[in-house]
Amino acid sequence: MVGRRTMPGRLTFYHNPRSRAAMVRWMLEEVGAEHDIVPIDFEAGDNRRPDFLTINPMGKIPALVLDDGTVITETPAIIAWLADAYPAAGLAPRQDRPERGSYYRWLFFGGSCFEPALTETMMRKDAVPLSKSTVGWGCYNDVIDTLEAALSRGPYLLGDNFTAADLYIGAELNWAGMIGAPRIGDSTPIQAYVERVIDRDAFRRSMAPL
Ligand SMILES: N[C@@H](CCC(=O)N[C@@H](CS)C(=O)NCC(=O)O)C(=O)O
């Protein structure tokens, strides 16, 4: 296809290990992408400096910049792009496979349902719950019920194969457990899934200090 390359060039990754960027570092390790890391120090205000705001006006990381200057933000978008850009890693079902639909489903579920439901539960503890039929994530308990049902078919969200959707959902569930979110640490299917998902060399490499 005209204008498409098979392998991306060197990537630039804006990173802080105590942030969602940790998921992208794991994904970069999974696919073996050549990249440079630009550390972002929140305390020093790096993410609010004008040069960074030209990359992401939201002042947030992770951000990935391709060698042609294209900027990708939003963790699941970066993860999905990397899975497609490095097909040899086998972390995304091909577009013509039926699993591709489920793959999109769970990637988007992470960003549009799990994350906001978790935020609502952890940060609005005493607030009146938002209308379940109006907010896109319904409610936290429905989100967790849905994930537990999906994981009970396991070992992975799409069946036998680990995909980038597992990396994202698994990492988010792992993080939710660490911050003491309800129904995570005491859920047998969720804990078994998290342990399975993070038992990977690329995850261990991504945890090494830089
Ligand atoms: N929707 C974004 C959220 C990114 C985000 O909120 N990043 C946080 C760190 S986990 C951040 O950069 N916070 C710094 C700030 O907003 O000042 C994603 O999924 O990547």
Side-chain angles (χ1 to χ4, degrees):
M1 194 186 292
V2 176
R4 286 199 63 178
R5 298 176 307 174
T6 48
M7 278 290 278
R10 202 167 177 86
L11 308 171
T12 305
F13 169 42
Y14 292 80
H15 178 54
N16 181 306
R18 288 177 294 107
S19 79
R20 290 169 176 85
M23 294 185 260
V24 170
R25 186 170 172 217
W26 176 8
M27 188 64 188
L28 288 162
E29 289 290 338
E30 288 280 355
V31 301
E34 290 194 3
H35 62 281
D36 297 309
I37 292 183
V38 180
I40 293 291
D41 181 338
F42 293 128
E43 284 73 32
D46 291 350
N47 56 317
R48 300 286 159 185
R49 293 192 206 290
D51 56 342
F52 183 74
L53 293 175
T54 62
I55 293 163
N56 187 3
M58 295 286 286
K60 287 183 175 290
I61 56 165
L64 191 72
V65 182
L66 313 190
D67 68 343
D68 67 1
T70 302
V71 174
I72 314 176
T73 63
E74 314 315 315
T75 304
I78 297 172
I79 286 171
W81 184 86
L82 286 168
D84 285 345
Y86 297 83
L91 294 181
R94 280 180 17 194
Q95 183 65 40
D96 59 357
R97 299 285 308 163
E99 300 84 26
R100 184 78 177 190
S102 302
Y103 171 72
Y104 281 136
R105 175 186 181 187
W106 296 116
L107 272 176
F108 283 72
F109 190 84
S112 64
C113 295
F114 181 71
E115 270 227 4
L118 179 68
T119 305
E120 184 187 10
T121 291
M122 299 304 284
M123 299 185 79
R124 299 183 73 249
K125 284 185 195 299
D126 301 324
V128 177
L130 298 171
S131 163
K132 166 173 159 169
S133 57
T134 303
V135 297
W137 56 95
C139 69
Y140 185 78
N141 277 332
D142 286 358
V143 166
I144 299 300
D145 288 345
T146 301
L147 283 174
E148 281 189 330
L151 298 179
S152 68
R153 294 187 286 271
Y156 297 109
L157 284 164
L158 304 192
D160 289 334
N161 297 319
F162 175 90
T163 70
D166 294 296
L167 186 154
Y168 182 52
I169 293 282
E172 293 252 301
L173 288 170
N174 189 29
W175 172 54
M178 287 193 269
I179 62 172
R183 299 188 53 193
I184 303 289
D186 53 2
S187 165
T188 303
I190 290 177
Q191 281 313 307
Y193 173 71
V194 167
E195 281 167 30
R196 195 177 306 130
V197 162
I198 65 175
D199 186 17
R200 296 179 67 84
D201 288 342
F203 174 76
R204 286 183 277 274
R205 284 197 303 276
S206 77
M207 299 300 285
L210 288 166

